[in-house]
Amino acid sequence: MGQIWTVWDAELGYSPLHFVKQDPARTNPQGAEPLWGVANVRPDGGRILHTFPHSTLEWRAAEYGIDPEDFDTLLDIILHEPYLPNEDDPLAHIDPATYKLLATIRGLPSCWTPGVPDADRLQAELTRIQAVKQYRVRFENAPSADRQAALVYVGSDRVAPPHPLDPIRAAKLDPIRVESRRMAVEWQRQTGQKPDFFAKPATAFMGMQPTGGAG
């Protein structure tokens, strides 16, 4: 059985903002995407802050045909998938638990496997997540009383929500954004190439047009 790690809190932040004019060497500018931080605690007391963009929820919904309102499934996948071992890592086979995990998930289709129904892709991913829980780590909510006591200890006037991930659930997902990502995923499955989201020139966006008169 994998270790039990506890989930304590979720908080919204933002990724760093970069502009090409300020940082010409940056070839892939990104900016200010909502970023979730989930506070987890290991059995030995070590603290882990798991951060992921809000768009990760949209991508997982698009990749596996998950209902955008099914936060239980989306968050279960996102929390556990970082602990999937790399099947190409020869050292992973030294650890007996990891070896059993890899044996369990070997040959399963990924979200990129063409010609596979969404239901089969999702079942394969859930099998991988279950294997992580069985052989590596699984997440459980810290007790409400302990989470509230922690907030009091640090001087926060917040009230601990019934579920530590409720702040993420409250954000909801935009079905239009999920559908746009589903189309991108399907395009990549059919072509084997990743869409170039930065192919459209900046001047094609009205908000990026230069201001001021001519001359």
Side-chain angles (χ1 to χ4, degrees), residues 153-175:
Y153 179 79
V154 299
S156 173
D157 58 1
R158 291 173 54 205
V159 175
H163 191 294
L165 300 181
D166 278 350
I168 302 178
R169 299 167 188 270
K172 302 296 183 181
L173 297 185
D174 183 341

mmCIF file with all atom_site columns, all heavy atoms in Angstrom, residues 153-175:
data_model
loop_
_atom_site.group_PDB
_atom_site.id
_atom_site.type_symbol
_atom_site.label_atom_id
_atom_site.label_alt_id
_atom_site.label_comp_id
_atom_site.label_asym_id
_atom_site.label_entity_id
_atom_site.label_seq_id
_atom_site.pdbx_PDB_ins_code
_atom_site.Cartn_x
_atom_site.Cartn_y
_atom_site.Cartn_z
_atom_site.occupancy
_atom_site.B_iso_or_equiv
_atom_site.pdbx_formal_charge
_atom_site.auth_seq_id
_atom_site.auth_comp_id
_atom_site.auth_asym_id
_atom_site.auth_atom_id
_atom_site.pdbx_PDB_model_num
ATOM 1   N N   . TYR A 1 153 ? -3.172  29.028 13.923  1.00 0.00 ? 153 TYR A N   1
ATOM 2   C CA  . TYR A 1 153 ? -1.770  29.080 14.357  1.00 0.00 ? 153 TYR A CA  1
ATOM 3   C C   . TYR A 1 153 ? -0.969  30.110 13.568  1.00 0.00 ? 153 TYR A C   1
ATOM 4   O O   . TYR A 1 153 ? -0.126  30.817 14.128  1.00 0.00 ? 153 TYR A O   1
ATOM 5   C CB  . TYR A 1 153 ? -1.144  27.698 14.207  1.00 0.00 ? 153 TYR A CB  1
ATOM 6   C CG  . TYR A 1 153 ? 0.304   27.647 14.610  1.00 0.00 ? 153 TYR A CG  1
ATOM 7   C CD1 . TYR A 1 153 ? 0.678   27.577 15.949  1.00 0.00 ? 153 TYR A CD1 1
ATOM 8   C CD2 . TYR A 1 153 ? 1.319   27.666 13.650  1.00 0.00 ? 153 TYR A CD2 1
ATOM 9   C CE1 . TYR A 1 153 ? 2.013   27.536 16.326  1.00 0.00 ? 153 TYR A CE1 1
ATOM 10  C CE2 . TYR A 1 153 ? 2.653   27.626 14.005  1.00 0.00 ? 153 TYR A CE2 1
ATOM 11  C CZ  . TYR A 1 153 ? 2.993   27.558 15.354  1.00 0.00 ? 153 TYR A CZ  1
ATOM 12  O OH  . TYR A 1 153 ? 4.315   27.519 15.714  1.00 0.00 ? 153 TYR A OH  1
ATOM 13  N N   . VAL A 1 154 ? -1.244  30.214 12.274  1.00 0.00 ? 154 VAL A N   1
ATOM 14  C CA  . VAL A 1 154 ? -0.485  31.161 11.444  1.00 0.00 ? 154 VAL A CA  1
ATOM 15  C C   . VAL A 1 154 ? -1.114  32.547 11.450  1.00 0.00 ? 154 VAL A C   1
ATOM 16  O O   . VAL A 1 154 ? -0.651  33.454 10.759  1.00 0.00 ? 154 VAL A O   1
ATOM 17  C CB  . VAL A 1 154 ? -0.350  30.651 9.994   1.00 0.00 ? 154 VAL A CB  1
ATOM 18  C CG1 . VAL A 1 154 ? 0.389   29.332 9.952   1.00 0.00 ? 154 VAL A CG1 1
ATOM 19  C CG2 . VAL A 1 154 ? -1.720  30.523 9.320   1.00 0.00 ? 154 VAL A CG2 1
ATOM 20  N N   . GLY A 1 155 ? -2.176  32.735 12.239  1.00 0.00 ? 155 GLY A N   1
ATOM 21  C CA  . GLY A 1 155 ? -2.788  34.051 12.368  1.00 0.00 ? 155 GLY A CA  1
ATOM 22  C C   . GLY A 1 155 ? -3.767  34.400 11.275  1.00 0.00 ? 155 GLY A C   1
ATOM 23  O O   . GLY A 1 155 ? -4.095  35.581 11.086  1.00 0.00 ? 155 GLY A O   1
ATOM 24  N N   . SER A 1 156 ? -4.259  33.408 10.541  1.00 0.00 ? 156 SER A N   1
ATOM 25  C CA  . SER A 1 156 ? -5.218  33.670 9.477   1.00 0.00 ? 156 SER A CA  1
ATOM 26  C C   . SER A 1 156 ? -6.629  33.686 10.049  1.00 0.00 ? 156 SER A C   1
ATOM 27  O O   . SER A 1 156 ? -6.965  32.916 10.962  1.00 0.00 ? 156 SER A O   1
ATOM 28  C CB  . SER A 1 156 ? -5.113  32.588 8.393   1.00 0.00 ? 156 SER A CB  1
ATOM 29  O OG  . SER A 1 156 ? -6.147  32.737 7.430   1.00 0.00 ? 156 SER A OG  1
ATOM 30  N N   . ASP A 1 157 ? -7.469  34.588 9.503   1.00 0.00 ? 157 ASP A N   1
ATOM 31  C CA  . ASP A 1 157 ? -8.864  34.622 9.939   1.00 0.00 ? 157 ASP A CA  1
ATOM 32  C C   . ASP A 1 157 ? -9.766  33.816 9.011   1.00 0.00 ? 157 ASP A C   1
ATOM 33  O O   . ASP A 1 157 ? -10.986 33.895 9.092   1.00 0.00 ? 157 ASP A O   1
ATOM 34  C CB  . ASP A 1 157 ? -9.363  36.068 10.029  1.00 0.00 ? 157 ASP A CB  1
ATOM 35  C CG  . ASP A 1 157 ? -9.248  36.811 8.700   1.00 0.00 ? 157 ASP A CG  1
ATOM 36  O OD1 . ASP A 1 157 ? -8.796  36.196 7.708   1.00 0.00 ? 157 ASP A OD1 1
ATOM 37  O OD2 . ASP A 1 157 ? -9.606  38.003 8.655   1.00 0.00 ? 157 ASP A OD2 1
ATOM 38  N N   . ARG A 1 158 ? -9.167  33.046 8.110   1.00 0.00 ? 158 ARG A N   1
ATOM 39  C CA  . ARG A 1 158 ? -9.941  32.203 7.204   1.00 0.00 ? 158 ARG A CA  1
ATOM 40  C C   . ARG A 1 158 ? -10.606 31.065 7.958   1.00 0.00 ? 158 ARG A C   1
ATOM 41  O O   . ARG A 1 158 ? -10.125 30.614 9.006   1.00 0.00 ? 158 ARG A O   1
ATOM 42  C CB  . ARG A 1 158 ? -9.044  31.614 6.120   1.00 0.00 ? 158 ARG A CB  1
ATOM 43  C CG  . ARG A 1 158 ? -8.502  32.607 5.099   1.00 0.00 ? 158 ARG A CG  1
ATOM 44  C CD  . ARG A 1 158 ? -7.504  31.918 4.190   1.00 0.00 ? 158 ARG A CD  1
ATOM 45  N NE  . ARG A 1 158 ? -8.097  30.726 3.578   1.00 0.00 ? 158 ARG A NE  1
ATOM 46  C CZ  . ARG A 1 158 ? -7.366  29.695 3.155   1.00 0.00 ? 158 ARG A CZ  1
ATOM 47  N NH1 . ARG A 1 158 ? -6.057  29.696 3.290   1.00 0.00 ? 158 ARG A NH1 1
ATOM 48  N NH2 . ARG A 1 158 ? -7.961  28.662 2.612   1.00 0.00 ? 158 ARG A NH2 1
ATOM 49  N N   . VAL A 1 159 ? -11.707 30.605 7.404   1.00 0.00 ? 159 VAL A N   1
ATOM 50  C CA  . VAL A 1 159 ? -12.381 29.427 7.927   1.00 0.00 ? 159 VAL A CA  1
ATOM 51  C C   . VAL A 1 159 ? -12.072 28.263 6.992   1.00 0.00 ? 159 VAL A C   1
ATOM 52  O O   . VAL A 1 159 ? -12.279 28.358 5.775   1.00 0.00 ? 159 VAL A O   1
ATOM 53  C CB  . VAL A 1 159 ? -13.900 29.647 8.015   1.00 0.00 ? 159 VAL A CB  1
ATOM 54  C CG1 . VAL A 1 159 ? -14.600 28.361 8.457   1.00 0.00 ? 159 VAL A CG1 1
ATOM 55  C CG2 . VAL A 1 159 ? -14.211 30.788 8.972   1.00 0.00 ? 159 VAL A CG2 1
ATOM 56  N N   . ALA A 1 160 ? -11.555 27.184 7.544   1.00 0.00 ? 160 ALA A N   1
ATOM 57  C CA  . ALA A 1 160 ? -11.205 26.026 6.723   1.00 0.00 ? 160 ALA A CA  1
ATOM 58  C C   . ALA A 1 160 ? -12.454 25.479 6.039   1.00 0.00 ? 160 ALA A C   1
ATOM 59  O O   . ALA A 1 160 ? -13.458 25.207 6.699   1.00 0.00 ? 160 ALA A O   1
ATOM 60  C CB  . ALA A 1 160 ? -10.553 24.950 7.576   1.00 0.00 ? 160 ALA A CB  1
ATOM 61  N N   . PRO A 1 161 ? -12.429 25.312 4.713   1.00 0.00 ? 161 PRO A N   1
ATOM 62  C CA  . PRO A 1 161 ? -13.610 24.779 4.019   1.00 0.00 ? 161 PRO A CA  1
ATOM 63  C C   . PRO A 1 161 ? -13.802 23.306 4.352   1.00 0.00 ? 161 PRO A C   1
ATOM 64  O O   . PRO A 1 161 ? -12.864 22.633 4.813   1.00 0.00 ? 161 PRO A O   1
ATOM 65  C CB  . PRO A 1 161 ? -13.259 24.970 2.535   1.00 0.00 ? 161 PRO A CB  1
ATOM 66  C CG  . PRO A 1 161 ? -11.761 24.955 2.497   1.00 0.00 ? 161 PRO A CG  1
ATOM 67  C CD  . PRO A 1 161 ? -11.317 25.598 3.780   1.00 0.00 ? 161 PRO A CD  1
ATOM 68  N N   . PRO A 1 162 ? -15.006 22.778 4.142   1.00 0.00 ? 162 PRO A N   1
ATOM 69  C CA  . PRO A 1 162 ? -15.246 21.356 4.421   1.00 0.00 ? 162 PRO A CA  1
ATOM 70  C C   . PRO A 1 162 ? -14.268 20.443 3.693   1.00 0.00 ? 162 PRO A C   1
ATOM 71  O O   . PRO A 1 162 ? -13.837 19.424 4.222   1.00 0.00 ? 162 PRO A O   1
ATOM 72  C CB  . PRO A 1 162 ? -16.681 21.140 3.941   1.00 0.00 ? 162 PRO A CB  1
ATOM 73  C CG  . PRO A 1 162 ? -17.319 22.498 4.048   1.00 0.00 ? 162 PRO A CG  1
ATOM 74  C CD  . PRO A 1 162 ? -16.229 23.473 3.716   1.00 0.00 ? 162 PRO A CD  1
ATOM 75  N N   . HIS A 1 163 ? -13.913 20.810 2.463   1.00 0.00 ? 163 HIS A N   1
ATOM 76  C CA  . HIS A 1 163 ? -12.953 20.046 1.663   1.00 0.00 ? 163 HIS A CA  1
ATOM 77  C C   . HIS A 1 163 ? -11.795 20.979 1.331   1.00 0.00 ? 163 HIS A C   1
ATOM 78  O O   . HIS A 1 163 ? -12.025 22.107 0.865   1.00 0.00 ? 163 HIS A O   1
ATOM 79  C CB  . HIS A 1 163 ? -13.612 19.539 0.382   1.00 0.00 ? 163 HIS A CB  1
ATOM 80  C CG  . HIS A 1 163 ? -12.809 18.532 -0.370  1.00 0.00 ? 163 HIS A CG  1
ATOM 81  N ND1 . HIS A 1 163 ? -11.601 18.836 -0.970  1.00 0.00 ? 163 HIS A ND1 1
ATOM 82  C CD2 . HIS A 1 163 ? -13.023 17.206 -0.635  1.00 0.00 ? 163 HIS A CD2 1
ATOM 83  C CE1 . HIS A 1 163 ? -11.113 17.764 -1.570  1.00 0.00 ? 163 HIS A CE1 1
ATOM 84  N NE2 . HIS A 1 163 ? -11.961 16.763 -1.384  1.00 0.00 ? 163 HIS A NE2 1
ATOM 85  N N   . PRO A 1 164 ? -10.533 20.579 1.553   1.00 0.00 ? 164 PRO A N   1
ATOM 86  C CA  . PRO A 1 164 ? -9.420  21.498 1.318   1.00 0.00 ? 164 PRO A CA  1
ATOM 87  C C   . PRO A 1 164 ? -9.284  21.969 -0.127  1.00 0.00 ? 164 PRO A C   1
ATOM 88  O O   . PRO A 1 164 ? -8.662  22.996 -0.393  1.00 0.00 ? 164 PRO A O   1
ATOM 89  C CB  . PRO A 1 164 ? -8.190  20.689 1.750   1.00 0.00 ? 164 PRO A CB  1
ATOM 90  C CG  . PRO A 1 164 ? -8.629  19.259 1.702   1.00 0.00 ? 164 PRO A CG  1
ATOM 91  C CD  . PRO A 1 164 ? -10.084 19.267 2.047   1.00 0.00 ? 164 PRO A CD  1
ATOM 92  N N   . LEU A 1 165 ? -9.878  21.236 -1.067  1.00 0.00 ? 165 LEU A N   1
ATOM 93  C CA  . LEU A 1 165 ? -9.793  21.622 -2.475  1.00 0.00 ? 165 LEU A CA  1
ATOM 94  C C   . LEU A 1 165 ? -11.030 22.377 -2.954  1.00 0.00 ? 165 LEU A C   1
ATOM 95  O O   . LEU A 1 165 ? -11.177 22.627 -4.146  1.00 0.00 ? 165 LEU A O   1
ATOM 96  C CB  . LEU A 1 165 ? -9.562  20.380 -3.347  1.00 0.00 ? 165 LEU A CB  1
ATOM 97  C CG  . LEU A 1 165 ? -8.292  19.581 -3.046  1.00 0.00 ? 165 LEU A CG  1
ATOM 98  C CD1 . LEU A 1 165 ? -8.173  18.392 -3.992  1.00 0.00 ? 165 LEU A CD1 1
ATOM 99  C CD2 . LEU A 1 165 ? -7.048  20.459 -3.147  1.00 0.00 ? 165 LEU A CD2 1
ATOM 100 N N   . ASP A 1 166 ? -11.891 22.772 -2.023  1.00 0.00 ? 166 ASP A N   1
ATOM 101 C CA  . ASP A 1 166 ? -13.093 23.519 -2.407  1.00 0.00 ? 166 ASP A CA  1
ATOM 102 C C   . ASP A 1 166 ? -12.784 24.815 -3.154  1.00 0.00 ? 166 ASP A C   1
ATOM 103 O O   . ASP A 1 166 ? -13.559 25.198 -4.046  1.00 0.00 ? 166 ASP A O   1
ATOM 104 C CB  . ASP A 1 166 ? -13.947 23.820 -1.173  1.00 0.00 ? 166 ASP A CB  1
ATOM 105 C CG  . ASP A 1 166 ? -14.828 22.641 -0.783  1.00 0.00 ? 166 ASP A CG  1
ATOM 106 O OD1 . ASP A 1 166 ? -14.904 21.678 -1.576  1.00 0.00 ? 166 ASP A OD1 1
ATOM 107 O OD2 . ASP A 1 166 ? -15.424 22.667 0.314   1.00 0.00 ? 166 ASP A OD2 1
ATOM 108 N N   . PRO A 1 167 ? -11.693 25.537 -2.831  1.00 0.00 ? 167 PRO A N   1
ATOM 109 C CA  . PRO A 1 167 ? -11.400 26.740 -3.626  1.00 0.00 ? 167 PRO A CA  1
ATOM 110 C C   . PRO A 1 167 ? -11.227 26.441 -5.114  1.00 0.00 ? 167 PRO A C   1
ATOM 111 O O   . PRO A 1 167 ? -11.607 27.251 -5.963  1.00 0.00 ? 167 PRO A O   1
ATOM 112 C CB  . PRO A 1 167 ? -10.100 27.262 -3.005  1.00 0.00 ? 167 PRO A CB  1
ATOM 113 C CG  . PRO A 1 167 ? -10.154 26.787 -1.587  1.00 0.00 ? 167 PRO A CG  1
ATOM 114 C CD  . PRO A 1 167 ? -10.784 25.430 -1.672  1.00 0.00 ? 167 PRO A CD  1
ATOM 115 N N   . ILE A 1 168 ? -10.662 25.295 -5.439  1.00 0.00 ? 168 ILE A N   1
ATOM 116 C CA  . ILE A 1 168 ? -10.496 24.926 -6.849  1.00 0.00 ? 168 ILE A CA  1
ATOM 117 C C   . ILE A 1 168 ? -11.845 24.572 -7.455  1.00 0.00 ? 168 ILE A C   1
ATOM 118 O O   . ILE A 1 168 ? -12.174 24.988 -8.580  1.00 0.00 ? 168 ILE A O   1
ATOM 119 C CB  . ILE A 1 168 ? -9.517  23.753 -6.988  1.00 0.00 ? 168 ILE A CB  1
ATOM 120 C CG1 . ILE A 1 168 ? -8.153  24.109 -6.377  1.00 0.00 ? 168 ILE A CG1 1
ATOM 121 C CG2 . ILE A 1 168 ? -9.358  23.357 -8.458  1.00 0.00 ? 168 ILE A CG2 1
ATOM 122 C CD1 . ILE A 1 168 ? -7.142  22.982 -6.433  1.00 0.00 ? 168 ILE A CD1 1
ATOM 123 N N   . ARG A 1 169 ? -12.638 23.827 -6.732  1.00 0.00 ? 169 ARG A N   1
ATOM 124 C CA  . ARG A 1 169 ? -13.952 23.429 -7.233  1.00 0.00 ? 169 ARG A CA  1
ATOM 125 C C   . ARG A 1 169 ? -14.823 24.649 -7.518  1.00 0.00 ? 169 ARG A C   1
ATOM 126 O O   . ARG A 1 169 ? -15.615 24.662 -8.454  1.00 0.00 ? 169 ARG A O   1
ATOM 127 C CB  . ARG A 1 169 ? -14.654 22.537 -6.206  1.00 0.00 ? 169 ARG A CB  1
ATOM 128 C CG  . ARG A 1 169 ? -13.926 21.244 -5.886  1.00 0.00 ? 169 ARG A CG  1
ATOM 129 C CD  . ARG A 1 169 ? -14.534 20.598 -4.647  1.00 0.00 ? 169 ARG A CD  1
ATOM 130 N NE  . ARG A 1 169 ? -13.779 19.461 -4.190  1.00 0.00 ? 169 ARG A NE  1
ATOM 131 C CZ  . ARG A 1 169 ? -13.989 18.204 -4.585  1.00 0.00 ? 169 ARG A CZ  1
ATOM 132 N NH1 . ARG A 1 169 ? -14.957 17.957 -5.443  1.00 0.00 ? 169 ARG A NH1 1
ATOM 133 N NH2 . ARG A 1 169 ? -13.256 17.220 -4.123  1.00 0.00 ? 169 ARG A NH2 1
ATOM 134 N N   . ALA A 1 170 ? -14.698 25.688 -6.691  1.00 0.00 ? 170 ALA A N   1
ATOM 135 C CA  . ALA A 1 170 ? -15.535 26.877 -6.840  1.00 0.00 ? 170 ALA A CA  1
ATOM 136 C C   . ALA A 1 170 ? -15.199 27.662 -8.101  1.00 0.00 ? 170 ALA A C   1
ATOM 137 O O   . ALA A 1 170 ? -16.013 28.462 -8.578  1.00 0.00 ? 170 ALA A O   1
ATOM 138 C CB  . ALA A 1 170 ? -15.397 27.773 -5.612  1.00 0.00 ? 170 ALA A CB  1
ATOM 139 N N   . ALA A 1 171 ? -14.015 27.440 -8.657  1.00 0.00 ? 171 ALA A N   1
ATOM 140 C CA  . ALA A 1 171 ? -13.583 28.220 -9.826  1.00 0.00 ? 171 ALA A CA  1
ATOM 141 C C   . ALA A 1 171 ? -14.335 27.819 -11.094 1.00 0.00 ? 171 ALA A C   1
ATOM 142 O O   . ALA A 1 171 ? -14.473 28.614 -12.012 1.00 0.00 ? 171 ALA A O   1
ATOM 143 C CB  . ALA A 1 171 ? -12.083 28.057 -10.034 1.00 0.00 ? 171 ALA A CB  1
ATOM 144 N N   . LYS A 1 172 ? -14.795 26.588 -11.169 1.00 0.00 ? 172 LYS A N   1
ATOM 145 C CA  . LYS A 1 172 ? -15.516 26.082 -12.335 1.00 0.00 ? 172 LYS A CA  1
ATOM 146 C C   . LYS A 1 172 ? -14.616 26.082 -13.573 1.00 0.00 ? 172 LYS A C   1
ATOM 147 O O   . LYS A 1 172 ? -13.527 26.640 -13.590 1.00 0.00 ? 172 LYS A O   1
ATOM 148 C CB  . LYS A 1 172 ? -16.787 26.889 -12.598 1.00 0.00 ? 172 LYS A CB  1
ATOM 149 C CG  . LYS A 1 172 ? -17.766 26.919 -11.451 1.00 0.00 ? 172 LYS A CG  1
ATOM 150 C CD  . LYS A 1 172 ? -18.325 25.546 -11.132 1.00 0.00 ? 172 LYS A CD  1
ATOM 151 C CE  . LYS A 1 172 ? -19.361 25.591 -10.039 1.00 0.00 ? 172 LYS A CE  1
ATOM 152 N NZ  . LYS A 1 172 ? -19.882 24.222 -9.719  1.00 0.00 ? 172 LYS A NZ  1
ATOM 153 N N   . LEU A 1 173 ? -15.082 25.442 -14.609 1.00 0.00 ? 173 LEU A N   1
ATOM 154 C CA  . LEU A 1 173 ? -14.372 25.411 -15.877 1.00 0.00 ? 173 LEU A CA  1
ATOM 155 C C   . LEU A 1 173 ? -15.274 25.962 -16.968 1.00 0.00 ? 173 LEU A C   1
ATOM 156 O O   . LEU A 1 173 ? -16.484 25.715 -16.977 1.00 0.00 ? 173 LEU A O   1
ATOM 157 C CB  . LEU A 1 173 ? -13.943 23.985 -16.245 1.00 0.00 ? 173 LEU A CB  1
ATOM 158 C CG  . LEU A 1 173 ? -12.948 23.288 -15.316 1.00 0.00 ? 173 LEU A CG  1
ATOM 159 C CD1 . LEU A 1 173 ? -12.540 21.936 -15.909 1.00 0.00 ? 173 LEU A CD1 1
ATOM 160 C CD2 . LEU A 1 173 ? -11.714 24.140 -15.081 1.00 0.00 ? 173 LEU A CD2 1
ATOM 161 N N   . ASP A 1 174 ? -14.667 26.676 -17.904 1.00 0.00 ? 174 ASP A N   1
ATOM 162 C CA  . ASP A 1 174 ? -15.400 27.227 -19.036 1.00 0.00 ? 174 ASP A CA  1
ATOM 163 C C   . ASP A 1 174 ? -15.509 26.142 -20.103 1.00 0.00 ? 174 ASP A C   1
ATOM 164 O O   . ASP A 1 174 ? -14.492 25.712 -20.664 1.00 0.00 ? 174 ASP A O   1
ATOM 165 C CB  . ASP A 1 174 ? -14.641 28.443 -19.577 1.00 0.00 ? 174 ASP A CB  1
ATOM 166 C CG  . ASP A 1 174 ? -15.380 29.132 -20.718 1.00 0.00 ? 174 ASP A CG  1
ATOM 167 O OD1 . ASP A 1 174 ? -16.261 28.502 -21.334 1.00 0.00 ? 174 ASP A OD1 1
ATOM 168 O OD2 . ASP A 1 174 ? -15.064 30.309 -20.991 1.00 0.00 ? 174 ASP A OD2 1
ATOM 169 N N   . PRO A 1 175 ? -16.720 25.671 -20.431 1.00 0.00 ? 175 PRO A N   1
ATOM 170 C CA  . PRO A 1 175 ? -16.853 24.589 -21.414 1.00 0.00 ? 175 PRO A CA  1
ATOM 171 C C   . PRO A 1 175 ? -16.334 24.970 -22.798 1.00 0.00 ? 175 PRO A C   1
ATOM 172 O O   . PRO A 1 175 ? -15.918 24.099 -23.565 1.00 0.00 ? 175 PRO A O   1
ATOM 173 C CB  . PRO A 1 175 ? -18.361 24.306 -21.436 1.00 0.00 ? 175 PRO A CB  1
ATOM 174 C CG  . PRO A 1 175 ? -19.008 25.516 -20.847 1.00 0.00 ? 175 PRO A CG  1
ATOM 175 C CD  . PRO A 1 175 ? -18.022 26.076 -19.868 1.00 0.00 ? 175 PRO A CD  1
#
